[in-house]
Amino acid sequence: MCFSFIVMFIGITIYLAKTGGLSPEQKMFLFFDTRIQRWLSYLIFPLRNLGYTIAVGRYLFPFFLLTFAANKSMIPSIQRLKHKFWLFLLLPAVSLLIYYPNFFFELVKGRFELQKLLMRGTFCWIHIYLAVSVFLLCYEYYRITIPHCKRQFRYILVFILSVTVQYAIYCVQDPIQVYQIYSQEYMRFNGRLYTDSTMSVAGWYLFAVITLLFVVLGFWSLRTYTEIDRKENRDEIRIQRKFETASMGVTVFVHSIKNQLLSNRVLCKKIRRELAAEQPDMEKLREYACMLEQFNENMLGRMEELYKSIKSNALILSPIPAGQVVTQAIRQFQQKYRGVSVDVLGDQDEVILADVQHLGEAVYNLLTNAHEAFLVSGKTEKEILQIILHSERFYIGFEIRDNGNGIAEKERQKIFYPFYTSKNTNNNWGMGLYYVREIVKGHFGMMKMESVPGEGTSFCMMIPRYEPRKRLNLKWKRGEV
């Protein structure tokens, strides 16, 4: 799309240099040096070829723009036409065929009304393509509900609109007006714009400032989008390296600790046996022995969790409704926190390809973190604990939102690191969010996080939507796994 615009713009630049009739001030402004203008004007570039160069860029840009917009659209009727996008090429192809110099001059020779009809026809379909494309892109942006996705799409939208506005400014002139450069009747059609050598230098300055504004705005948006993508890839590599470094000796460490804890379990049993036989009056010591046993069991359980997270887990993916994962997670959560309600919003019947056990465990982890974040915040207002299901293009988003204290900027870069935790390290290993991230990656999904300090945090797991070729009859009752 950008290449076609550049081709058109190069043709316009050479055309301006060749038309002449520009004042010295205009030449300095447009070409910076009169020698550049003189060099371009003497290029062996016939007007026929120059006009067709402009035509190529002029007629391909709307096609590429509409194809891009249609690919981004999730409107069902547009999606059904996905394999027929080549139909969008028919009007540009016909226009390029008609405007091919040899064919064009034979077709329109002596037919001024036909040429006016061609100019109006191409002007009409170009602007229809532009209008439809802008509508599809703006509608898609309006329909996005996940904040992270909306922000990323906004950068793309601003870039595309910036380039489109520039194209719309320059495309009003028809290549016929280049072919027929010495015929004044053609110059009156659709104004004269870049063929207008009488426009003042102040007018050119205003025109250039507007163009430059859209160029800067567009490339700033593209750079910002690219920077976000680069940062996410960089963070992914950093997390993986940290885990590889940490896991070098962790397997041996877990095995050794596990053996030690098993020995402690035997020791606890001996202590209890001795207490029962010889010191029945030492109630406090017996209490300590029970506490030691319980602590030992907790440590063994946590070591098993850590060991599982290090081993590669096999995920068995099958088509399931998103609500089944939510039910699994809420049931597990309420076994730990009885009486804590979780609000579920969105369509639970959307189908995904998932391992319900592992994905449910991941949602449960996020729910637990969200609830504990609210408890730690000390807020007296009502707790907000929500699971919001988003239907976004090719993904179903599981957003877990709370109204805790949020996460500080410097902590956001570390929370997915293995073995990092801001909680009490006696009770937390810092593997929860790393585990969740790995499960999401195992489902070919993505994980995003938004946090506002003092207001709360939302984690969003984006799992690919499942669309079978034949509709599956997936019946389920909410509350059942």
Side-chain angles (χ1 to χ4, degrees):
M1 184 180 67
C2 292
F3 179 75
S4 61
F5 175 76
I6 290 170
V7 168
M8 183 183 76
F9 196 78
I10 289 174
I12 292 172
T13 303
I14 299 174
Y15 174 80
L16 283 169
K18 282 184 172 292
T19 52
L22 299 173
S23 67
E25 292 82 5
Q26 288 174 326
K27 291 180 181 178
M28 286 297 295
F29 173 77
L30 293 171
F31 302 101
F32 304 105
D33 192 329
T34 55
R35 288 175 295 180
I36 297 176
Q37 185 265 335
R38 194 179 303 114
W39 176 76
L40 289 173
S41 66
Y42 285 111
L43 280 177
I44 303 176
F45 209 136
L47 286 175
R48 293 188 173 196
N49 295 350
L50 186 58
Y52 197 67
T53 300
I54 295 174
V56 169
R58 186 180 192 239
Y59 299 135
L60 289 183
F61 181 93
F63 163 70
F64 290 128
L65 177 63
L66 185 57
T67 304
F68 176 83
N71 268 298
K72 291 294 181 184
S73 175
M74 282 300 293
I75 299 174
S77 56
I78 300 295
Q79 283 291 302
R80 285 194 290 270
L81 293 173
K82 192 169 184 178
H83 301 294
K84 298 180 180 179
F85 285 173
W86 59 270
L87 292 172
F88 299 155
L89 187 59
L90 289 179
L91 287 175
V94 170
S95 298
L96 286 173
L97 177 63
I98 292 175
Y99 276 73
Y100 188 71
N102 294 338
F103 181 76
F104 173 80
F105 284 102
E106 288 295 327
L107 177 68
V108 303
K109 187 175 182 180
R111 300 183 179 94
F112 178 68
E113 291 301 322
L114 176 60
Q115 295 182 51
K116 287 201 299 184
L117 180 64
L118 286 175
M119 285 192 282
R120 288 193 175 93
T122 54
F123 184 82
C124 183
W125 76 253
I126 284 174
H127 283 78
I128 290 175
Y129 271 40
L130 296 184
V132 172
S133 302
V134 171
F135 169 78
L136 290 176
L137 290 170
C138 291
Y139 182 77
E140 186 65 22
Y141 174 75
Y142 169 76
R143 295 285 295 176
I144 294 174
T145 57
I146 298 177
H148 177 86
C149 298
K150 200 176 189 75
R151 187 172 64 249
Q152 281 199 307
F153 195 81
R154 185 187 305 137
Y155 293 130
I156 297 175
L157 181 62
V158 170
F159 173 75
I160 295 297
L161 291 181
S162 299
V163 178
T164 302
V165 168
Q166 293 177 71
Y167 169 82
I169 291 172
Y170 289 99
C171 78
V172 295
Q173 300 297 141
D174 195 281
I176 290 178
Q177 294 165 298
V178 178
Y179 291 154
Q180 310 281 14
I181 187 173
Y182 300 112
S183 300
Q184 288 300 314
E185 60 265 26
Y186 295 104
M187 296 299 104
R188 293 193 296 269
F189 188 81
N190 283 348
R192 297 177 67 178
L193 196 62
Y194 60 78
T195 61
D196 189 358
S197 61
T198 64
M199 188 162 64
S200 67
V201 175
W204 280 110
Y205 270 112
L206 179 62
F207 190 65
V209 167
I210 293 173
T211 301
L212 185 62
L213 175 65
F214 282 110
V215 168
V216 172
L217 182 62
F219 277 94
W220 174 82
S221 298
L222 189 63
R223 178 194 173 279
T224 305
Y225 173 78
T226 307
E227 182 65 23
I228 291 174
D229 192 55
R230 187 184 70 85
K231 184 178 180 298
E232 289 180 352
N233 291 334
R234 184 183 61 200
D235 290 344
E236 183 71 31
I237 294 171
R238 186 185 294 121
I239 291 171
Q240 189 61 36
R241 285 178 178 171
K242 280 188 173 288
F243 181 74
E244 289 173 355
T245 302
S247 65
M248 287 174 63
V250 77
T251 305
V252 176
F253 170 76
V254 171
H255 184 70
S256 301
I257 293 297
K258 191 173 182 179
N259 287 339
Q260 182 62 53
L261 291 174
L262 288 171
S263 300
N264 288 348
R265 180 190 287 176
V266 174
L267 180 61
C268 285
K269 290 181 179 179
K270 288 182 178 180
I271 291 175
R272 292 184 66 186
R273 189 165 51 245
E274 288 296 324
L275 286 172
E278 300 178 9
Q279 299 179 357
D281 297 330
M282 298 182 67
E283 189 65 32
K284 197 165 187 177
L285 186 57
R286 188 179 292 109
E287 183 181 347
Y288 287 153
C290 290
M291 289 174 61
L292 179 61
E293 183 179 15
Q294 185 61 46
F295 176 74
N296 187 66
E297 292 295 332
N298 289 341
M299 289 290 289
L300 278 170
R302 294 199 174 278
M303 282 297 163
E304 281 294 337
E305 274 186 36
L306 184 60
Y307 203 65
K308 285 178 184 177
S309 67
I310 293 168
K311 293 191 300 180
S312 57
N313 292 311
L315 300 177
I316 302 174
L317 307 182
S318 57
I320 58 170
Q324 194 169 329
V325 175
V326 173
T327 303
Q328 170 85 10
I330 293 177
R331 178 176 296 177
Q332 191 173 354
F333 173 77
Q334 291 183 336
Q335 286 176 355
K336 183 175 182 180
Y337 296 106
R338 298 184 183 278
V340 179
S341 62
V342 181
D343 297 326
V344 181
L345 307 174
D347 187 0
Q348 298 187 51
D349 294 322
E350 294 281 6
V351 180
I352 57 174
L353 202 62
D355 185 312
V356 66
Q357 195 67 36
H358 284 89
L359 196 57
E361 180 76 20
V363 176
Y364 159 73
N365 268 285
L366 294 177
L367 280 175
T368 302
N369 287 349
H371 177 61
E372 291 176 354
F374 178 79
L375 295 179
V376 170
S377 71
K379 292 183 176 181
T380 56
E381 61 193 71
K382 183 180 178 182
E383 179 181 9
I384 297 175
L385 189 58
Q386 297 177 328
I387 299 178
I388 306 172
L389 293 170
H390 299 271
S391 180
E392 298 288 351
R393 293 179 54 75
F394 304 112
Y395 293 91
I396 302 301
F398 292 78
E399 182 183 0
I400 290 79
R401 181 181 296 174
D402 66 70
N403 61 334
N405 273 338
I407 303 173
E409 181 66 33
K410 60 181 180 181
E411 292 240 347
R412 293 178 205 174
Q413 302 175 1
K414 303 177 184 177
I415 57 174
F416 291 106
Y417 288 177
F419 309 111
Y420 174 80
T421 179
S422 58
K423 304 175 185 177
N424 189 330
T425 54
N426 291 329
N427 300 317
N428 293 276
W429 291 98
M431 292 296 291
L433 286 176
Y434 178 81
Y435 167 76
V436 171
R437 190 184 182 100
E438 289 300 300
I439 291 300
V440 172
K441 285 171 59 181
H443 284 77
F444 308 100
M446 299 178 289
M447 190 166 178
K448 307 297 179 185
M449 186 267 292
E450 299 278 338
S451 185
V452 179
E455 296 184 16
T457 303
S458 68
F459 286 90
C460 188
M461 305 186 309
M462 298 169 65
I463 307 300
R465 180 195 304 272
Y466 178 74
E467 293 183 355
R469 294 190 178 183
K470 292 184 179 180
R471 189 175 182 83
L472 295 178
N473 186 19
L474 295 173
K475 294 183 179 179
W476 70 291
K477 294 181 180 179
R478 291 181 184 176
E480 294 183 1
V481 178

